[in-house]
Amino acid sequence: MKDVNKVPAAVAMLKVIEAYGVKDIYGYPGGSINSTLKALDIEKEKINYIQIRHEQVGALAAAAHTKLTGKIGVAFGSAGPGAVNLLNGLYDAKEDHVPVLALVGQVGHDNMNYNYFQEMPEVPMFEDVAVYDRLVMTPESLPHVIDRAIHEAYAKKGVAVVVIPNDFGFDLIPDVRYDSASQTYNKPAPEPQATDAEVDEFLQLVKDAKRPVIHVCRGIKNGGDKLIELSKKLQIPLVMDGLAKGYVNEDYEGNLGTANRAASKAADEILDVSDLVIAIGGDFPFANSFYATHDFKYIQIDNQTIELGRHHVPELAIWSDATQFVEKALDRSETVAPSGFFKAAAADMQNWKQYIKKMLASDDESLTPAQVYNQINRVSNPDTIYSVDVGDNIINTFRYLNIRPTNQWVISALFATMGSGVPGAIAAKLDNPKKQVFNIAGDGALSMVMQDLVTMTKYHLPIINIVTQNGDLSFIKGEQEDLPMQFYGLDLQQQDFAMIAKGMGLDAIRVTDYRELPAAFDKAVQAANAGTPFLIDIVINDKRGLPVEDLDVKIVDGKLEESVSHKYKDDKPAGKTYSLQEFFDYYGGQDLLPLAHYFYEYDVKL
């Protein structure tokens, strides 16, 4: 080793990261991370340092990169406050099961354990969020620890944290290869497959059921068309988990849309009366309450054994890739006769689609959320990428946004942290510079991270930013409406986001009338096509779409009963109840019909 060239340990660390195909690292400078910054300067021709303005944004951007590409994302923060700021984005990566590497600064090793400025025991802080959590002990071991961290993050689909004493990164170590098997992650991992016996048992349970439903999540991947084929063949309607939006053609009559709160009326109604639920490729976090509405048989298919039975006890659990299972079920099944239940479900969904179409076409002069999404749909491309922030925009996205299988979209799904829209859009544009990218956020969410609008300007990222504001936290308002309390703590001081954005170098416009919307969106597209980030600040009203979670549907003595939940508007006068028609009318759904209407029309026996 005497004749081997030497490099700073932090440079050797970056060479390992580069070997795994990483092109961008997100972070913010700090005294305890300077050795990493020096290395980034040395390696700047091979890897990009993206300077965000808050470490939370860096970690969320790294997680969004992984969600969109499948490749590990990397972020860093300095000791103390920088490290703490990373946690929000790292928990997002943990909950959504994506590999992310976090580089965390620490004071020099000779100052550790002296209660030095910004020194804190960082390894314990990351114990819960990380699948791999290490303090580097020597300069020579730094690149090796990074290599192992990346392997662990990929293998366990989670967060790897490496805490680096700052002085170690400056020390010289041999300039040799430290990455191991970095090309391994360029090919898809083998997936488990269902056995013939498992598929046959599944088909028998389907045959015995009267009202089967397939609950689909993102594990279906590119198998949406095959799933439609199976749905038609076995006459089973499809209900989407939110994360599966876009994986199955939304024009298919048997696609009932999403369930639970951010949902379609048809999906919730059909799930409420199903006698067999087939969950395929998903992690439905609301199962403990939503699946508890009535008894049914349950089949779960997942490629991760840890997910089987996680939220609901199955009669049949099958460890298998979702699409492979669907293909095998197609091969081993016979076409069934047309089903009245399937026809009723499809008709119920068609009725709901007419309601959505009416909302999108509204000419209400005080802007509605649906009008905003109507314009997003109008100017979007077949390969547009959407970064959707947390809040009411989740419900509106599931209902109103046209997402095709050729589109991508990213969200903070299970952790559901507000402020994920901006970093998600930044990552999407860096990964796909030629594609149209939207950031869709509410005023509460954008307020948390709007400092990083300037990051779009700095790196010339022509993102179209949509911010809707109505002066309150609408998603939480919807929750409080069904609780024994008055609305409290939700008012937001309105801001002129257009003016703020212009101060950060974006082009921007403020819209208060729906008649101004088309021109504003045309201007945004024109600016983005010319290479300039754009923000549309839209003042909307507080008009909600139908809160489908307040519908109670159940079978009593062989008859279908549907009513408005007693929890709906819990602060209502004592003894007050609402009829279905009153409920529908209040939300502009005069033409909506209850599920019982379609069960009667198609002679569904209960």
Side-chain angles (χ1 to χ4, degrees):
M1 298 288 285
K2 290 183 179 180
D3 298 328
V4 175
N5 290 332
K6 292 191 175 183
V7 294
V11 171
M13 169 188 75
L14 289 184
K15 288 184 176 182
V16 172
I17 293 171
E18 292 161 9
Y20 286 88
V22 175
K23 302 299 182 185
D24 302 312
I25 294 183
Y26 300 91
Y28 196 73
S32 59
I33 202 74
N34 274 329
S35 60
T36 297
L37 287 163
K38 178 184 177 181
L40 285 166
D41 184 24
I42 294 171
E43 291 292 292
K44 60 189 174 187
E45 299 302 321
K46 299 176 182 177
I47 195 163
N48 300 316
Y49 161 46
I50 307 299
Q51 181 206 75
I52 42 71
R53 298 304 178 98
H54 194 289
E55 292 86 355
Q56 168 188 341
V57 170
L60 284 167
H65 162 80
T66 309
K67 294 173 189 179
L68 290 167
T69 68
K71 301 296 184 181
I72 193 166
V74 184
F76 69 79
S78 57
V84 171
N85 285 344
L86 286 169
L87 278 170
N88 202 39
L90 298 185
Y91 269 102
D92 172 71
K94 174 189 176 179
E95 292 300 312
D96 283 355
H97 311 298
V98 294
V100 164
L101 171 64
L103 310 176
V104 179
Q106 180 56 284
V107 302
H109 82 285
D110 53 347
N111 285 317
M112 291 173 63
N113 300 320
Y114 282 91
N115 198 28
Y116 195 74
F117 175 70
Q118 288 192 328
E119 180 200 0
M120 60 182 294
E122 290 169 334
V123 171
M125 184 174 71
F126 293 100
E127 278 182 354
D128 180 67
V129 76
V131 297
Y132 183 85
D133 184 14
R134 294 289 189 275
L135 169 66
V136 175
M137 303 304 291
T138 65
E140 291 78 11
S141 68
L142 172 56
H144 167 75
V145 173
I146 292 295
D147 182 65
R148 298 321 307 166
I150 294 173
H151 277 296
E152 294 276 348
Y154 271 122
K156 298 177 181 176
K157 296 184 178 180
V159 175
V161 175
V162 178
V163 180
I164 309 167
N166 191 37
D167 56 329
F168 285 176
F170 291 115
D171 286 356
L172 299 178
I173 65 172
D175 186 13
V176 297
R177 179 179 173 181
Y178 292 95
D179 66 282
S180 63
S182 57
Q183 299 305 309
T184 298
Y185 304 104
N186 290 334
K187 65 180 182 181
E191 294 281 8
Q193 298 187 8
T195 65
D196 292 350
E198 288 173 324
V199 173
D200 291 345
E201 187 175 354
F202 157 80
L203 292 172
Q204 185 60 51
L205 284 167
V206 170
K207 183 178 180 180
D208 294 341
K210 294 181 179 179
R211 298 177 301 280
V213 172
I214 297 177
H215 197 175
V216 190
C217 197
R218 55 185 168 181
I220 195 63
K221 299 175 186 173
N222 295 322
D225 289 344
K226 290 288 186 181
L227 185 60
I228 288 175
E229 190 178 341
L230 184 67
S231 169
K232 291 178 178 178
K233 188 174 186 180
L234 300 181
Q235 290 288 282
I236 307 176
L238 308 177
V239 168
M240 300 292 114
D241 190 350
L243 297 180
K245 183 175 174 65
Y247 284 87
V248 179
N249 191 323
E250 295 186 352
D251 291 332
Y252 169 51
E253 63 174 349
N255 183 343
L256 306 186
T258 53
N260 199 32
R261 181 180 173 196
S264 79
K265 168 179 168 289
D268 274 10
E269 287 174 320
I270 291 296
L271 263 181
D272 278 348
V273 298
S274 59
D275 61 355
L276 175 65
V277 174
I278 304 151
I280 184 165
D283 179 8
F284 186 53
F286 302 101
N288 193 48
S289 56
F290 193 70
Y291 281 176
T293 56
H294 70 294
D295 292 330
F296 54 81
K297 290 186 177 180
Y298 183 58
I299 300 173
Q300 187 179 7
I301 301 105
D302 204 283
N303 66 351
Q304 299 290 321
T305 55
I306 192 71
E307 298 295 335
L308 297 172
R310 184 176 184 182
H311 295 299
H312 199 76
V313 178
E315 270 73 23
L316 175 61
I318 301 175
W319 181 38
S320 174
D321 171 68
T323 299
Q324 185 277 336
F325 173 84
V326 169
E327 290 172 343
K328 183 164 258 190
L330 279 168
D331 289 341
R332 300 186 67 81
S333 61
E334 297 180 358
T335 302
V336 305
S339 158
F341 172 68
F342 182 90
K343 291 178 180 179
D348 195 25
M349 185 58 184
Q350 187 59 36
N351 181 232
W352 175 255
K353 284 182 175 180
Q354 290 302 314
Y355 171 69
I356 293 298
K357 185 177 180 179
K358 175 183 175 182
M359 299 289 280
L360 287 167
S362 168
D363 60 358
D364 195 325
E365 291 185 13
S366 64
L367 276 157
T368 67
Q371 292 169 340
V372 176
Y373 280 81
N374 196 31
Q375 293 302 316
I376 297 174
N377 291 334
R378 179 179 68 84
V379 302
S380 291
N381 300 323
D383 61 355
T384 296
I385 303 174
Y386 307 97
S387 180
V388 181
D389 217 316
V390 172
D392 244 20
N393 278 303
I394 294 177
I395 298 177
N396 296 327
T397 290
F398 289 169
R399 289 182 174 179
Y400 304 131
L401 187 60
N402 293 336
I403 298 181
R404 312 166 184 86
T406 54
N407 294 122
Q408 283 185 290
W409 68 292
V410 65
I411 193 173
S412 177
L414 297 180
F415 194 53
T417 181
M418 294 174 70
S420 62
V422 166
I426 290 172
K429 196 63 181 179
L430 286 168
D431 290 331
N432 303 273
K434 294 183 179 180
K435 291 185 178 182
Q436 184 187 62
V437 174
F438 276 89
N439 162 39
I440 305 172
D443 44 356
L446 184 65
S447 296
M448 294 187 173
V449 292
M450 63 184 173
Q451 76 284 334
D452 269 281
L453 291 172
V454 77
T455 303
M456 300 179 187
T457 303
K458 179 170 183 172
Y459 294 101
H460 310 290
L461 303 175
I463 294 163
I464 300 174
N465 297 274
I466 308 299
V467 55
T468 55
Q469 60 170 319
N470 58 9
D472 66 33
L473 292 167
S474 300
F475 192 87
I476 307 304
K477 186 175 184 180
E479 292 178 336
Q480 288 190 2
E481 185 175 61
D482 294 341
L483 295 173
M485 63 180 296
Q486 301 293 320
F487 295 134
Y488 184 76
L490 307 179
D491 295 343
L492 295 178
Q493 175 66 43
Q494 290 207 359
Q495 304 174 66
D496 191 333
F497 287 106
M499 181 178 292
I500 294 167
K502 288 178 181 179
M504 294 187 183
L506 285 77
D507 199 356
I509 192 170
R510 186 176 176 87
V511 177
T512 58
D513 189 307
Y514 89 100
R515 291 167 292 191
E516 303 166 353
L517 268 184
F521 273 83
D522 290 342
K523 187 175 180 181
V525 171
Q526 183 180 11
N529 290 342
T532 302
F534 198 95
L535 182 141
I536 310 180
D537 177 10
I538 307 171
V539 180
I540 60 172
N541 61 30
D542 59 357
K543 182 178 291 185
R544 296 180 67 193
L546 186 79
V548 295
E549 69 274 15
D550 285 313
L551 286 173
D552 282 342
V553 186
K554 54 188 175 180
I555 298 171
V556 180
D557 296 331
K559 294 183 179 179
L560 189 65
E561 293 185 359
E562 187 163 5
S563 60
V564 180
S565 170
H566 70 278
K567 293 182 179 179
Y568 173 62
K569 293 192 174 181
D570 201 73
D571 64 340
K572 58 185 174 286
K576 170 65 179 175
T577 59
Y578 294 89
S579 69
L580 277 179
Q581 197 59 54
E582 286 177 320
F583 183 65
F584 292 157
D585 290 351
Y586 185 78
Y587 296 98
Q590 289 83 0
D591 297 324
L592 287 172
L593 296 170
L595 179 61
H597 171 88
Y598 297 105
F599 272 24
Y600 177 79
E601 180 178 349
Y602 291 99
D603 194 27
V604 178
K605 303 297 184 185
L606 300 175

